[in-house]
Amino acid sequence: MKHRYLISLFLMAFLAFVPAGAQKRTVEEVKKSIGDLSADLKAYKNAQSKLKPALSHEATKNLAETWWVAAKVEFGIYDKNRVNKSVGNAFDVKEMGKALVSGYSHCQKALQLDTIAETNRDGSPKIDKATQKQKVKTKFSKEIWNKLMAYVVDYSAAGADLYKAKDMENAYKLWDIYYQLVNTPQQVVKHKVEPDSVIGGMRYFQAMAAVQLKKLPEAHALFSEARAMGVKKKSAFDHDILVLLQMGDTATMVKVAKEAYSLYGKQDVQYMRIMINDCISHGKMKEAEVMLDQAILMDSLNANYFTIKGQIVESQSTYADAQPFYQRAVELAPADYQTNFDVGRCYYLQALRYMQDNAKKATSKLMKEAAPIFKSAMTYLEKAYGINPSSVDARSILRDIYYRLNDGEKLDKLERGM
């Protein structure tokens, strides 16, 4: 009985050893196959498939060489596709990008496993006298780093290709890897990449990919980093503001708006609106007015500033006090919906107030006196409605004016959408 038990244990050990040995042989076979000069794209794909079990098998998954061979297979798939692309043959741009991502990942795993801490015979750490740190030894690390550095530009280009191909997930990863590589000491010394011309621009596009992937905190961090590196294009502010709005981070959004205002304030009023609204929401009305008055002094022909000024004055006082600012706005932007609507609305409110204050007069006489004011309102509101036919507010006020003026023809056209 004891004999049988020992035989059984031996068989179990033997069976466990066989697949382990097979996986190690597989790694060697793959290494040999991709070293063959005749290896083509099909050969690399076969090698990729054949090596896959070794990446998870206990006997091979913790060996640096396993992952290094796997990395070389991925870079081979990329290279063969690149050659096909250069000579006009069929190639797969998404396969190329994914191969670079996997190649980098496998290299990182290999580097981690390749770094072995040295010990003395008694098991204690072997200390480097110069650094006073534990000594480490590597077998593949130098070769791995040389390989990665040879593909730096490829990571950048592949990210752009996948961005165009709408593969945002891998475009994002490729650009992140590119950033990691160009910031390694080896690469900085070798290529001296300029942040404002290369890295900053890449961070901007990575941020754009992050927006589409709904990685909002990452997108904001990338936009900020891109701007810090010299990317001052308007969209680097605008997209960041939208991201922060979605995140509900109004405090940071205001900071970005202030930064954008210093560059694009005359071109886009949204930055001033954000700053003004922030002041108003915090009860800083005086500060809002001072800020706006300074903006008007700097750009006295900006209709939007007078519109905002009118809105602030109206919120604190009455439409009558705000009307002169709305009037100035429509003079500066006569073809703008909002300027025409604001002035028309003020005249309409003025007419209603006149009727309210003189309610004791006969209806016919009261309407005759108020009619010119209603007609002034109508002039501006009709123009506003013509600019924006979908405006419910302009349509609603015009309907009331036509009814009061007994203008059935215009009322009928309005109701029929003419």
Side-chain angles (χ1 to χ4, degrees), residues 137-167:
K137 59 182 178 181
T138 61
K139 184 176 181 181
F140 306 105
S141 293
K142 185 176 180 180
E143 188 181 356
I144 292 170
W145 273 114
N146 287 338
K147 188 77 168 178
L148 284 172
M149 290 304 141
Y151 285 88
V152 172
V153 176
D154 297 88
Y155 278 99
S156 169
D161 288 340
L162 289 197
Y163 187 84
K164 292 175 186 175
K166 308 299 182 185
D167 186 350

mmCIF file of all heavy atoms in Angstrom, residues 137-167:
data_model
loop_
_atom_site.group_PDB
_atom_site.id
_atom_site.type_symbol
_atom_site.label_atom_id
_atom_site.label_comp_id
_atom_site.label_asym_id
_atom_site.label_seq_id
_atom_site.Cartn_x
_atom_site.Cartn_y
_atom_site.Cartn_z
ATOM 1 N N LYS A 137 20.723 43.300 -9.864
ATOM 2 C CA LYS A 137 21.300 42.870 -11.131
ATOM 3 C C LYS A 137 20.166 42.620 -12.119
ATOM 4 O O LYS A 137 19.049 42.276 -11.750
ATOM 5 C CB LYS A 137 22.136 41.604 -10.944
ATOM 6 C CG LYS A 137 21.384 40.398 -10.382
ATOM 7 C CD LYS A 137 22.333 39.231 -10.188
ATOM 8 C CE LYS A 137 21.590 38.036 -9.568
ATOM 9 N NZ LYS A 137 22.502 36.893 -9.354
ATOM 10 N N THR A 138 20.455 42.831 -13.381
ATOM 11 C CA THR A 138 19.460 42.652 -14.432
ATOM 12 C C THR A 138 20.088 41.895 -15.597
ATOM 13 O O THR A 138 21.318 41.903 -15.784
ATOM 14 C CB THR A 138 18.941 44.012 -14.956
ATOM 15 O OG1 THR A 138 20.047 44.734 -15.505
ATOM 16 C CG2 THR A 138 18.302 44.826 -13.853
ATOM 17 N N LYS A 139 19.237 41.269 -16.401
ATOM 18 C CA LYS A 139 19.713 40.518 -17.560
ATOM 19 C C LYS A 139 19.224 41.147 -18.864
ATOM 20 O O LYS A 139 19.950 41.209 -19.849
ATOM 21 C CB LYS A 139 19.241 39.075 -17.462
ATOM 22 C CG LYS A 139 19.777 38.195 -18.587
ATOM 23 C CD LYS A 139 19.356 36.739 -18.384
ATOM 24 C CE LYS A 139 19.917 35.864 -19.502
ATOM 25 N NZ LYS A 139 19.510 34.441 -19.340
ATOM 26 N N PHE A 140 17.960 41.629 -18.845
ATOM 27 C CA PHE A 140 17.361 42.130 -20.083
ATOM 28 C C PHE A 140 17.068 43.629 -20.063
ATOM 29 O O PHE A 140 16.716 44.197 -21.090
ATOM 30 C CB PHE A 140 16.041 41.391 -20.360
ATOM 31 C CG PHE A 140 16.151 39.896 -20.368
ATOM 32 C CD1 PHE A 140 15.679 39.148 -19.306
ATOM 33 C CD2 PHE A 140 16.729 39.242 -21.441
ATOM 34 C CE1 PHE A 140 15.763 37.767 -19.319
ATOM 35 C CE2 PHE A 140 16.833 37.862 -21.460
ATOM 36 C CZ PHE A 140 16.352 37.114 -20.398
ATOM 37 N N SER A 141 17.186 44.249 -18.915
ATOM 38 C CA SER A 141 16.699 45.627 -18.761
ATOM 39 C C SER A 141 17.281 46.618 -19.763
ATOM 40 O O SER A 141 16.563 47.450 -20.330
ATOM 41 C CB SER A 141 16.957 46.121 -17.333
ATOM 42 O OG SER A 141 16.174 45.402 -16.414
ATOM 43 N N LYS A 142 18.583 46.569 -19.986
ATOM 44 C CA LYS A 142 19.205 47.503 -20.918
ATOM 45 C C LYS A 142 18.642 47.329 -22.325
ATOM 46 O O LYS A 142 18.318 48.302 -23.019
ATOM 47 C CB LYS A 142 20.719 47.316 -20.931
ATOM 48 C CG LYS A 142 21.446 48.344 -21.788
ATOM 49 C CD LYS A 142 22.962 48.170 -21.697
ATOM 50 C CE LYS A 142 23.668 49.216 -22.566
ATOM 51 N NZ LYS A 142 25.146 49.079 -22.495
ATOM 52 N N GLU A 143 18.495 46.079 -22.719
ATOM 53 C CA GLU A 143 17.959 45.775 -24.047
ATOM 54 C C GLU A 143 16.505 46.233 -24.157
ATOM 55 O O GLU A 143 16.085 46.764 -25.197
ATOM 56 C CB GLU A 143 18.062 44.258 -24.292
ATOM 57 C CG GLU A 143 17.717 43.833 -25.709
ATOM 58 C CD GLU A 143 17.798 42.331 -25.894
ATOM 59 O OE1 GLU A 143 18.205 41.623 -24.927
ATOM 60 O OE2 GLU A 143 17.431 41.857 -26.974
ATOM 61 N N ILE A 144 15.767 46.045 -23.078
ATOM 62 C CA ILE A 144 14.351 46.452 -23.066
ATOM 63 C C ILE A 144 14.220 47.961 -23.220
ATOM 64 O O ILE A 144 13.427 48.461 -24.030
ATOM 65 C CB ILE A 144 13.661 45.982 -21.768
ATOM 66 C CG1 ILE A 144 13.542 44.450 -21.743
ATOM 67 C CG2 ILE A 144 12.266 46.604 -21.634
ATOM 68 C CD1 ILE A 144 13.087 43.879 -20.411
ATOM 69 N N TRP A 145 15.030 48.694 -22.450
ATOM 70 C CA TRP A 145 14.956 50.157 -22.523
ATOM 71 C C TRP A 145 15.368 50.665 -23.899
ATOM 72 O O TRP A 145 14.756 51.610 -24.438
ATOM 73 C CB TRP A 145 15.821 50.801 -21.442
ATOM 74 C CG TRP A 145 15.102 50.964 -20.151
ATOM 75 C CD1 TRP A 145 15.365 50.337 -18.974
ATOM 76 C CD2 TRP A 145 13.976 51.808 -19.908
ATOM 77 N NE1 TRP A 145 14.469 50.735 -18.006
ATOM 78 C CE2 TRP A 145 13.599 51.636 -18.556
ATOM 79 C CE3 TRP A 145 13.224 52.674 -20.701
ATOM 80 C CZ2 TRP A 145 12.535 52.303 -17.980
ATOM 81 C CZ3 TRP A 145 12.139 53.349 -20.134
ATOM 82 C CH2 TRP A 145 11.808 53.158 -18.790
ATOM 83 N N ASN A 146 16.367 50.066 -24.479
ATOM 84 C CA ASN A 146 16.787 50.460 -25.828
ATOM 85 C C ASN A 146 15.663 50.244 -26.841
ATOM 86 O O ASN A 146 15.455 51.053 -27.747
ATOM 87 C CB ASN A 146 18.031 49.684 -26.262
ATOM 88 C CG ASN A 146 19.286 50.149 -25.549
ATOM 89 O OD1 ASN A 146 19.348 51.277 -25.051
ATOM 90 N ND2 ASN A 146 20.291 49.292 -25.473
ATOM 91 N N LYS A 147 14.957 49.157 -26.661
ATOM 92 C CA LYS A 147 13.833 48.843 -27.551
ATOM 93 C C LYS A 147 12.729 49.886 -27.405
ATOM 94 O O LYS A 147 12.219 50.419 -28.400
ATOM 95 C CB LYS A 147 13.287 47.451 -27.218
ATOM 96 C CG LYS A 147 12.247 46.940 -28.195
ATOM 97 C CD LYS A 147 12.905 46.460 -29.463
ATOM 98 C CE LYS A 147 11.944 45.677 -30.352
ATOM 99 N NZ LYS A 147 12.579 45.255 -31.615
ATOM 100 N N LEU A 148 12.373 50.189 -26.173
ATOM 101 C CA LEU A 148 11.313 51.168 -25.928
ATOM 102 C C LEU A 148 11.684 52.541 -26.490
ATOM 103 O O LEU A 148 10.852 53.223 -27.101
ATOM 104 C CB LEU A 148 11.030 51.281 -24.423
ATOM 105 C CG LEU A 148 10.221 50.152 -23.792
ATOM 106 C CD1 LEU A 148 10.188 50.302 -22.278
ATOM 107 C CD2 LEU A 148 8.790 50.138 -24.346
ATOM 108 N N MET A 149 12.917 52.944 -26.273
ATOM 109 C CA MET A 149 13.344 54.257 -26.738
ATOM 110 C C MET A 149 13.335 54.361 -28.256
ATOM 111 O O MET A 149 13.168 55.449 -28.810
ATOM 112 C CB MET A 149 14.752 54.562 -26.209
ATOM 113 C CG MET A 149 14.797 54.802 -24.714
ATOM 114 S SD MET A 149 13.671 56.117 -24.210
ATOM 115 C CE MET A 149 13.063 55.451 -22.674
ATOM 116 N N ALA A 150 13.483 53.236 -28.917
ATOM 117 C CA ALA A 150 13.470 53.237 -30.384
ATOM 118 C C ALA A 150 12.068 53.481 -30.940
ATOM 119 O O ALA A 150 11.914 53.817 -32.122
ATOM 120 C CB ALA A 150 14.009 51.910 -30.906
ATOM 121 N N TYR A 151 11.041 53.339 -30.089
ATOM 122 C CA TYR A 151 9.654 53.471 -30.549
ATOM 123 C C TYR A 151 8.956 54.733 -30.025
ATOM 124 O O TYR A 151 7.740 54.872 -30.161
ATOM 125 C CB TYR A 151 8.839 52.242 -30.132
ATOM 126 C CG TYR A 151 9.137 51.021 -30.959
ATOM 127 C CD1 TYR A 151 10.164 50.153 -30.596
ATOM 128 C CD2 TYR A 151 8.420 50.742 -32.107
ATOM 129 C CE1 TYR A 151 10.466 49.033 -31.351
ATOM 130 C CE2 TYR A 151 8.702 49.615 -32.878
ATOM 131 C CZ TYR A 151 9.726 48.767 -32.493
ATOM 132 O OH TYR A 151 10.009 47.661 -33.262
ATOM 133 N N VAL A 152 9.700 55.657 -29.460
ATOM 134 C CA VAL A 152 9.082 56.854 -28.874
ATOM 135 C C VAL A 152 8.208 57.590 -29.880
ATOM 136 O O VAL A 152 7.037 57.875 -29.622
ATOM 137 C CB VAL A 152 10.157 57.812 -28.315
ATOM 138 C CG1 VAL A 152 9.528 59.126 -27.898
ATOM 139 C CG2 VAL A 152 10.858 57.190 -27.122
ATOM 140 N N VAL A 153 8.758 57.910 -31.032
ATOM 141 C CA VAL A 153 8.008 58.643 -32.053
ATOM 142 C C VAL A 153 6.808 57.831 -32.533
ATOM 143 O O VAL A 153 5.741 58.377 -32.827
ATOM 144 C CB VAL A 153 8.920 59.014 -33.240
ATOM 145 C CG1 VAL A 153 8.115 59.702 -34.346
ATOM 146 C CG2 VAL A 153 10.043 59.924 -32.776
ATOM 147 N N ASP A 154 6.950 56.519 -32.575
ATOM 148 C CA ASP A 154 5.856 55.656 -33.026
ATOM 149 C C ASP A 154 4.648 55.757 -32.096
ATOM 150 O O ASP A 154 3.498 55.732 -32.560
ATOM 151 C CB ASP A 154 6.332 54.203 -33.092
ATOM 152 C CG ASP A 154 7.440 54.010 -34.111
ATOM 153 O OD1 ASP A 154 8.611 54.182 -33.739
ATOM 154 O OD2 ASP A 154 7.129 53.711 -35.276
ATOM 155 N N TYR A 155 4.909 55.878 -30.796
ATOM 156 C CA TYR A 155 3.791 56.007 -29.853
ATOM 157 C C TYR A 155 3.011 57.297 -30.106
ATOM 158 O O TYR A 155 1.784 57.328 -30.017
ATOM 159 C CB TYR A 155 4.314 55.958 -28.417
ATOM 160 C CG TYR A 155 4.548 54.549 -27.935
ATOM 161 C CD1 TYR A 155 5.822 53.993 -27.932
ATOM 162 C CD2 TYR A 155 3.482 53.759 -27.518
ATOM 163 C CE1 TYR A 155 6.041 52.689 -27.520
ATOM 164 C CE2 TYR A 155 3.691 52.449 -27.106
ATOM 165 C CZ TYR A 155 4.967 51.919 -27.106
ATOM 166 O OH TYR A 155 5.155 50.619 -26.713
ATOM 167 N N SER A 156 3.718 58.345 -30.421
ATOM 168 C CA SER A 156 3.067 59.616 -30.723
ATOM 169 C C SER A 156 2.228 59.511 -31.988
ATOM 170 O O SER A 156 1.051 59.880 -32.014
ATOM 171 C CB SER A 156 4.130 60.705 -30.893
ATOM 172 O OG SER A 156 3.556 61.878 -31.426
ATOM 173 N N ALA A 157 2.826 58.975 -33.066
ATOM 174 C CA ALA A 157 2.131 58.867 -34.348
ATOM 175 C C ALA A 157 0.961 57.899 -34.275
ATOM 176 O O ALA A 157 -0.121 58.157 -34.823
ATOM 177 C CB ALA A 157 3.114 58.414 -35.422
ATOM 178 N N ALA A 158 1.151 56.786 -33.580
ATOM 179 C CA ALA A 158 0.084 55.791 -33.457
ATOM 180 C C ALA A 158 -1.098 56.350 -32.672
ATOM 181 O O ALA A 158 -2.262 56.050 -32.967
ATOM 182 C CB ALA A 158 0.612 54.531 -32.777
ATOM 183 N N GLY A 159 -0.803 57.189 -31.663
ATOM 184 C CA GLY A 159 -1.885 57.836 -30.916
ATOM 185 C C GLY A 159 -2.731 58.700 -31.823
ATOM 186 O O GLY A 159 -3.963 58.671 -31.766
ATOM 187 N N ALA A 160 -2.075 59.466 -32.706
ATOM 188 C CA ALA A 160 -2.794 60.320 -33.654
ATOM 189 C C ALA A 160 -3.622 59.481 -34.621
ATOM 190 O O ALA A 160 -4.773 59.819 -34.933
ATOM 191 C CB ALA A 160 -1.811 61.194 -34.419
ATOM 192 N N ASP A 161 -3.052 58.362 -35.081
ATOM 193 C CA ASP A 161 -3.770 57.490 -36.018
ATOM 194 C C ASP A 161 -5.016 56.891 -35.375
ATOM 195 O O ASP A 161 -6.082 56.821 -36.004
ATOM 196 C CB ASP A 161 -2.854 56.364 -36.506
ATOM 197 C CG ASP A 161 -1.788 56.861 -37.476
ATOM 198 O OD1 ASP A 161 -1.980 57.955 -38.046
ATOM 199 O OD2 ASP A 161 -0.775 56.166 -37.649
ATOM 200 N N LEU A 162 -4.890 56.451 -34.134
ATOM 201 C CA LEU A 162 -6.051 55.846 -33.463
ATOM 202 C C LEU A 162 -7.089 56.897 -33.081
ATOM 203 O O LEU A 162 -8.274 56.611 -33.014
ATOM 204 C CB LEU A 162 -5.602 55.057 -32.229
ATOM 205 C CG LEU A 162 -4.852 53.752 -32.512
ATOM 206 C CD1 LEU A 162 -4.822 52.870 -31.268
ATOM 207 C CD2 LEU A 162 -5.479 52.972 -33.644
ATOM 208 N N TYR A 163 -6.634 58.119 -32.830
ATOM 209 C CA TYR A 163 -7.573 59.214 -32.557
ATOM 210 C C TYR A 163 -8.441 59.450 -33.792
ATOM 211 O O TYR A 163 -9.661 59.604 -33.698
ATOM 212 C CB TYR A 163 -6.804 60.481 -32.195
ATOM 213 C CG TYR A 163 -7.669 61.627 -31.729
ATOM 214 C CD1 TYR A 163 -8.072 61.721 -30.395
ATOM 215 C CD2 TYR A 163 -8.075 62.625 -32.609
ATOM 216 C CE1 TYR A 163 -8.865 62.774 -29.955
ATOM 217 C CE2 TYR A 163 -8.870 63.672 -32.188
ATOM 218 C CZ TYR A 163 -9.261 63.754 -30.863
ATOM 219 O OH TYR A 163 -10.049 64.800 -30.439
ATOM 220 N N LYS A 164 -7.799 59.445 -34.962
ATOM 221 C CA LYS A 164 -8.537 59.609 -36.218
ATOM 222 C C LYS A 164 -9.464 58.418 -36.465
ATOM 223 O O LYS A 164 -10.534 58.565 -37.050
ATOM 224 C CB LYS A 164 -7.561 59.745 -37.391
ATOM 225 C CG LYS A 164 -6.761 61.034 -37.384
ATOM 226 C CD LYS A 164 -5.732 61.036 -38.509
ATOM 227 C CE LYS A 164 -4.827 62.259 -38.432
ATOM 228 N NZ LYS A 164 -3.744 62.213 -39.451
ATOM 229 N N ALA A 165 -9.024 57.240 -36.024
ATOM 230 C CA ALA A 165 -9.815 56.023 -36.215
ATOM 231 C C ALA A 165 -10.900 55.861 -35.152
ATOM 232 O O ALA A 165 -11.586 54.839 -35.104
ATOM 233 C CB ALA A 165 -8.893 54.803 -36.212
ATOM 234 N N LYS A 166 -11.044 56.858 -34.281
ATOM 235 C CA LYS A 166 -12.071 56.873 -33.219
ATOM 236 C C LYS A 166 -11.839 55.832 -32.131
ATOM 237 O O LYS A 166 -12.747 55.485 -31.381
ATOM 238 C CB LYS A 166 -13.486 56.675 -33.798
ATOM 239 C CG LYS A 166 -13.837 57.616 -34.945
ATOM 240 C CD LYS A 166 -13.808 59.058 -34.535
ATOM 241 C CE LYS A 166 -14.204 59.984 -35.679
ATOM 242 N NZ LYS A 166 -14.062 61.417 -35.333
ATOM 243 N N ASP A 167 -10.617 55.297 -32.036
ATOM 244 C CA ASP A 167 -10.279 54.376 -30.944
ATOM 245 C C ASP A 167 -9.674 55.223 -29.820
ATOM 246 O O ASP A 167 -8.459 55.259 -29.630
ATOM 247 C CB ASP A 167 -9.299 53.310 -31.414
ATOM 248 C CG ASP A 167 -9.020 52.247 -30.352
ATOM 249 O OD1 ASP A 167 -9.443 52.442 -29.188
ATOM 250 O OD2 ASP A 167 -8.365 51.236 -30.677
#
